[in-house]
Amino acid sequence: MLPFLRPDLAQLKAYTPHPASAGESLPPAIEFDQLDTNESPVQLPDELKAKLAWTYQHTIATNRYPDGGHDVLKQAVVEYIQESSHDSSATFTTSHISLGNGSDELIRALLIATCLGGAGAILVAEPTFSMYGILARTLGIPVVTVGRSDTTFETNLAAAQEAIEDTQNPPIRAVFIVHPNSPTGNALTTAELDWLRSLPEHILVVVDEAYFEFSQTTVVHEVLARSNWVILRTFSKAFRLAAHRVGYAIGHPDLITALEKVRLPYNLPTFSQAAAHTALLHRHLLLDSIPALLQERSQLITALRQFPQLQVWDSSANFVYIRLKSPLLKPDTALAQITQEMKIQGTLIRHTGGGLRITIGTAAENQRTLERLNVVLHQGNLVE
Ligand SMILES: *Cc1c(COP(=O)(O)O)cnc(C)c1O
């Protein structure tokens, strides 16, 4: 360890979205079905890519810094959330929006604005999106974890309440929750929402709606009444723009002002702003494909339930979560082995939280997922 580095960084690992295990020999040039990071299985349609190429050629000045205020894109985001808020009396303005280099940047900005320098700890219910904990730890922010029900994945609210009331130093300043949760796919229940609403104003409630376009359940209108709630959304999933790194936060104007202070000044490249704007202008074209994807999801779930070894949950998002039924001695060893053998077969899936998360792909990819799982689960050499 270099002597000028913070000693606590030695305990942390860099985030690797597609972890490779040592010594594996995969066929060269194999085309993986990438079902481990919950992206859309399809790109932007060619006509939108062509529009963006035209924009790049004719309107983007490559020698100039991007618009650091994101005015045009913020206005388009306002129109979109207004349209999708389920509450026509809700009125959002650009003062409610901050744009980030992916929602990851906004998560970091929220952590800096609330907890940095010993000011606070965060609370998460595991299993959940790993980035909250990863980003908090890189900033030296403590992470308090509570569990979830093994059957419904609802947050253990008694434990959560106890953690909040616990006089600890630093106190919990922010609760991060995904709606619907990743990797487990469940939306917030009435009990969870009531608990979040009961939290005092000095605790920030972050509701990450990365999968909103698939679930169509949102609590975005609540931010207008609650100064301590913030919603995160992203262009990385339903909008097919993971390559461009654009996310946004919707919250109280004073919170948004704080986020704008701590984010990097030119956090969003001009081309990414243009891509997100184009996606919003053509949102009906992009979002029209979601019902077919949800149909694929229910077919995949039905087919997965035919495997006697698997426990399969319903999902409100673009992925499914499964666990092994039999009480294996080392479930994580078996799950790691399944993940590895699926990879050798050509399908990437995610081993996390004591289960497997599989993104809904194209019809052909989902078919291969089933065929390959069938092979892997019947090889009979799974570690017992
Ligand atoms: C995919 C995902 C995001 C998106 O992150 P970006 O940085 O915007 O790509 C955010 N939150 C959750 C829970 C996710 O699963």
Side-chain angles (χ1 to χ4, degrees):
M1 191 79 182
L2 296 166
F4 46 79
L5 290 174
R6 269 168 42 200
D8 59 314
L9 291 183
Q11 270 80 58
L12 306 180
K13 280 205 188 87
Y15 179 76
T16 47
H18 310 293
S21 59
E24 70 191 26
S25 59
L26 291 170
I30 188 169
E31 273 246 15
F32 286 109
D33 292 344
Q34 295 182 26
L35 305 182
D36 59 341
T37 40
N38 294 346
E39 296 138 319
S40 165
V42 286
Q43 297 204 43
L44 283 186
D46 281 347
E47 71 243 50
L48 293 195
K49 274 189 141 181
K51 269 189 209 296
L52 272 173
W54 189 94
T55 301
Y56 185 69
Q57 192 73 27
H58 298 281
T59 75
I60 290 180
T62 61
N63 58 323
R64 299 294 173 198
Y65 284 109
D67 169 10
H70 316 139
D71 294 330
V72 175
L73 182 53
K74 271 189 189 175
Q75 189 55 48
V77 167
V78 165
E79 280 163 35
Y80 172 58
I81 58 173
Q82 192 74 40
E83 170 187 288
S84 59
S85 86
H86 302 335
D87 177 0
S88 50
S89 66
T91 310
F92 294 93
T93 68
T94 53
S95 70
H96 294 105
I97 310 292
S98 182
L99 289 160
N101 191 274
S103 6
D104 288 350
E105 189 195 17
L106 293 163
I107 293 165
R108 174 136 66 183
L110 287 165
L111 291 166
I112 293 171
T114 56
C115 295
L116 196 66
I122 67 164
L123 179 74
V124 297
E126 292 199 312
T128 195
F129 189 45
S130 59
M131 213 37 100
Y132 311 129
I134 292 172
L135 293 174
R137 290 185 184 99
T138 64
L139 295 168
I141 293 169
V143 181
V144 178
T145 62
V146 295
R148 292 172 179 270
S149 153
D150 265 338
T151 48
T152 64
F153 297 119
E154 181 175 87
T155 304
N156 183 340
L157 294 175
Q161 183 62 26
E162 207 172 298
I164 294 283
E165 285 170 10
D166 209 11
T167 43
Q168 51 179 331
N169 193 18
I172 290 170
R173 268 286 162 255
V175 176
F176 282 82
I177 201 139
V178 196
H179 177 47
N181 189 43
S182 173
T184 51
N186 53 307
L188 286 171
T189 61
T190 308
E192 286 176 304
L193 282 167
D194 285 345
W195 181 73
L196 292 170
R197 291 186 186 107
S198 79
L199 289 173
E201 275 179 7
H202 60 263
I203 296 179
L204 177 69
V205 174
V206 184
V207 182
D208 187 335
E209 295 188 345
Y211 300 98
F212 158 69
E213 284 80 9
F214 305 103
S215 71
Q216 286 299 321
T217 52
T218 179
V219 291
V220 70
H221 54 278
E222 303 234 7
V223 306
L224 297 173
R226 297 175 196 282
S227 58
N228 64 324
W229 279 40
V230 63
I231 311 296
L232 297 179
R233 299 260 188 93
T234 180
F235 285 88
S236 298
K237 307 283 157 66
F239 281 107
R240 316 183 193 177
L241 291 181
H244 283 286
R245 312 298 303 123
V246 188
Y248 55 99
I250 311 155
H252 188 280
D254 291 351
L255 171 62
I256 296 301
T257 302
L259 294 182
E260 297 281 299
K261 285 180 199 173
V262 300
R263 70 166 171 84
L264 294 174
Y266 297 116
N267 61 341
L268 269 191
T270 307
F271 195 52
S272 290
Q273 295 188 45
H277 190 218
T278 301
L280 281 177
L281 289 177
H282 299 275
R283 60 185 173 275
H284 299 296
L285 174 66
L286 300 179
L287 301 181
D288 275 356
S289 67
I290 288 179
L293 187 125
L294 299 184
Q295 183 61 31
E296 280 294 321
R297 179 182 73 193
S298 62
Q299 284 173 12
L300 185 69
I301 288 175
T302 306
L304 287 170
R305 287 195 169 132
Q306 307 303 309
F307 289 100
Q309 305 94 325
L310 300 180
Q311 188 174 5
V312 185
W313 278 267
D314 288 331
S315 169
S316 301
N318 66 333
F319 53 82
V320 295
Y321 191 62
I322 62 182
R323 280 185 178 166
L324 290 172
K325 258 188 205 159
S326 63
L328 290 167
L329 229 45
K330 293 181 181 155
D332 276 318
T333 311
L335 291 169
Q337 193 182 343
I338 293 172
T339 308
Q340 179 60 16
E341 303 210 344
M342 286 295 284
K343 182 173 182 178
I344 291 167
Q345 301 263 328
T347 295
L348 303 179
I349 62 175
R350 186 111 174 129
H351 170 204
T352 179
L356 301 173
R357 192 193 65 194
I358 308 176
T359 308
I360 310 300
T362 61
E365 286 174 323
N366 301 333
Q367 190 54 41
R368 286 195 288 271
T369 296
L370 291 168
E371 289 161 10
R372 290 167 179 175
L373 255 183
N374 195 40
V375 172
V376 168
L377 290 173
H378 286 95
Q379 275 169 349
N381 58 353
L382 286 181
V383 186
E384 288 292 337

